[in-house]
Structures are given as structure tokens and as C-alpha cells.
């Protein structure tokens, strides 16, 4: 999917830590915090459905810890920080996908976590209209949530994070990349890869355009473009540098750094755009209903490429 924003424009997708001190853990669990009418403990009790007492084999509920940040106390548990990280890496994540991948299908664990993060103003959830299907409920970090997450030190410095919704189409696309990521990571881990890092097209575009801008007038020459493309592990295709929707950088079985570039193709792709992605060597993924039309486009271009199912 081609994005229509300029590489210089960062907000609301600001990345990286900001110049402020991190939150201070007070050492108190949620049981020691003041319990008001909208307390975290009551979030857990209110949202969990009535059922039989938990079996001994079920996972115990982790208490929340208090963090002092910018004059306010936040109560979060480890699973909630992990959810903030998941959402931040992709900017937008569908609620149902967060439940499936982060909480392994356990809605009873996810719902109190999400409710608490919303109540504390760290994330927002909205029903976003979709041009082809029914609206989906998507989650994104607030600016405050983004600042809080970066200050915890739990996100590696080289992992970009984002916040805030933009256009509905882009929000759904970002959410689809979250599902695509897990599809690809399964294969990476099967081959012995580990420690994956997410690089969205926005981050790659910033890197490439930054290096091109430093070249001045030389940035228009094919040789200069080719050198920049190779520096970032990309290819020059007919005078342009195609960018993947998603890059996953990871540590291979032998300890060397490896990467895979992924493109989420849709029925709206034009032939020239799809052909450029294939020639750039990206792995193509598509929904089952879009794959036949994309294969016809490739046939017309006399190109052969595997289209993997999302």
C-alpha cells in the first residue's frame, strides 16, 4: 500500500524516546493503591464474566505495580506494558487480533487490561469504518501512552513506536500488518530466528529520504540511488526504490542479522505497482479473496511470484 504522507512529517507517528525521565516504581501493588469507584481492581471484577472458581492450573492474575510519571501514578501490570508495546510498534491493532496473539485467545485476561489502559488514558479504542467490510474496533496509543511506554525502558532503543489514528484506510492497513507480522514470525522462528524487530515503511522511508537528501543534486542519478538502495538492503527498480509495507529484522540461527521484506497486496494494486514489488524481491501476502485477481495481474505482466495467504 502506498502512503501519501511526506517523509519529513512525523507526528502523530513520532518515534523514539523523548527527553524526560522515566517513571518511578513505587513498589506498591494495586492492592495498596487507593480504590475509588473506577479502580483497576474493580475493572477486573466488573469485566470478568461470572464463572466457576478458577482451577489450580489456570494462570493467576498478576497484581499491578504503581509507576510515578509526570506527577501522576499509573498502575500497570507486565501484560499491559507488553500490550502497549505491541500496539505502539504497529500504531493501530485490532482488538480481536490483540486478543488472539498477545493474550492467546484469552478474552478474560485481555478485557481488564484494555479497560484499565483506556481508563488511565494510555490507549484509545475506536470503531473505524472500512471501505470493503464492516467497521473494526482498533486500538492505538495516546501521546501520553507513547511517552509513558518509551520512558519505562522496556522497548529497545532501536524499535520505533507510534501513536494516534490517521486516515481510516491507513489505520486498517497498520492493523493488518500486525496480523501479517505474526504470520511471518511463525516461519522465522521455525527456522531458528529470534529477537525480531518491526520496521514499518514509514521508518524505512525516513532513512532512505534522509540519505538521498544529503546527496544534493546527485540524488537524481541512477548510480546514487542504487548505492542508497543497497545501503538499506533495497533494490532500484526502473529508477525508483520500492519500499515494503513491513520489514522484520531478526537474529538468525547462526547469530548473524537477517531480514525479510513483506508486502500486503490488495485487489486495488495496479499492475505497475505490484510488478515493482515483485522485482524488488518482497514476499507477497494477500487475503484469500484478493489472491486470484493479483495472480491475473502478475500473469499479464509475465511475472512469477508466490502469493502467500494472510
Amino acid at each position: 500500500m502506498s502512503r501519501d504522507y511526506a517523509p519529513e512529517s512525523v507526528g502523530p507517528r513520532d518515534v523514539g524516546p523523548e527527553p524526560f525521565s522515566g517513571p518511578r516504581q513505587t513498589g506498591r501493588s494495586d492492592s495498596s493503591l487507593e480504590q475509588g469507584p473506577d479502580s483497576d481492581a474493580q475493572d477486573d471484577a466488573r469485566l470478568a464474566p461470572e464463572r466457576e472458581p478458577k482451577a489450580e492450573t489456570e494462570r493467576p492474575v498478576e497484581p499491578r505495580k504503581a509507576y510515578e510519571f509526570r506527577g501522576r501514578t499509573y498502575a500497570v501490570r507486565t501484560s499491559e506494558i507488553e500490550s502497549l508495546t505491541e500496539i505502539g510498534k504497529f500504531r493501530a491493532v485490532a482488538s480481536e487480533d490483540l486478543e488472539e496473539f498477545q493474550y492467546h485467545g484469552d478474552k478474560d485476561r485481555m478485557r481488564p487490561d484494555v479497560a484499565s489502559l483506556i481508563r488511565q488514558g494510555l490507549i484509545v479504542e475506536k470503531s473505524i469504518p472500512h471501505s470493503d467490510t464492516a467497521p473494526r474496533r482498533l486500538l492505538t496509543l495516546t501521546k501520553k501512552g507513547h511517552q509513558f511506554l518509551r520512558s519505562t525502558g522496556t522497548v529497545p532503543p532501536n524499535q520505533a513506536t507510534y501513536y494516534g489514528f490517521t486516515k481510516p484506510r491507513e489505520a486498517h492497513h497498520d492493523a493488518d500488518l500486525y496480523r501479517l507480522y505474526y504470520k511471518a514470525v511463525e516461519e522465522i522462528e521455525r527456522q531458528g530466528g529470534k529477537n525480531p524487530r518491526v520496521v514499518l515503511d514509514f521508518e524505512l522511508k525516513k532513512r532512505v529520504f534522509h540519505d538521498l537528501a544529503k546527496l544534493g543534486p546527485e540524488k537524481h542519478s541512477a548510480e546514487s540511488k542504487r548505492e542508497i538502495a543497497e545501503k538499506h538492503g533495497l533494490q532500484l527498480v526502473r529508477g525508483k526504490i520500492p519500499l515494503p509495507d513491513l520489514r522484520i529484522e531478526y537474529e538468525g540461527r547462526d547469530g548473524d542479522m537477517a531480514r525479510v521484506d513483506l508486502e500486503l497486496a490488495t485487489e486495488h494494486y495496479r499492475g505497475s505497482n505490484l510488478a515493482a514489488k515483485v522485482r524488488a524481491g518482497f514476499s507477497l501476502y494477500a487475503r484469500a479473496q484478493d489472491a486470484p485477481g493479483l495472480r491475473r495481474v502478475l500473469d499479464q505482466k509475465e511475472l512469477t511470484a508466490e502469493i502467500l495467504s494472510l
Side-chain angles (χ1 to χ4, degrees), residues 12 87 91-98 110 114-115 117-118 122-130 134-142 163-169 171-172 175:
I87 297 168
R91 187 178 63 168
V93 171
S95 299
E96 60 185 4
D97 290 341
L98 187 71
M110 186 194 82
V114 169
L117 294 173
I118 291 174
L122 300 176
I123 65 174
V124 292
E125 182 179 28
K126 289 180 65 176
S127 179
I128 306 293
H130 197 291
R136 284 195 300 178
R137 299 200 67 80
L138 303 184
L139 300 161
T140 190
L141 300 185
T142 62
Y163 67 92
F165 292 120
T166 55
K167 298 177 182 178
R169 185 182 175 205
H172 283 291

Side-chain angles (χ1 to χ4, degrees), residues 154-175:
T154 56
V155 182
N158 65 346
Q159 175 61 68
T161 52
Y162 310 91
Y163 67 92
F165 292 120
T166 55
K167 298 177 182 178
R169 185 182 175 205
E170 288 190 4
H172 283 291
H173 184 71
D174 289 334

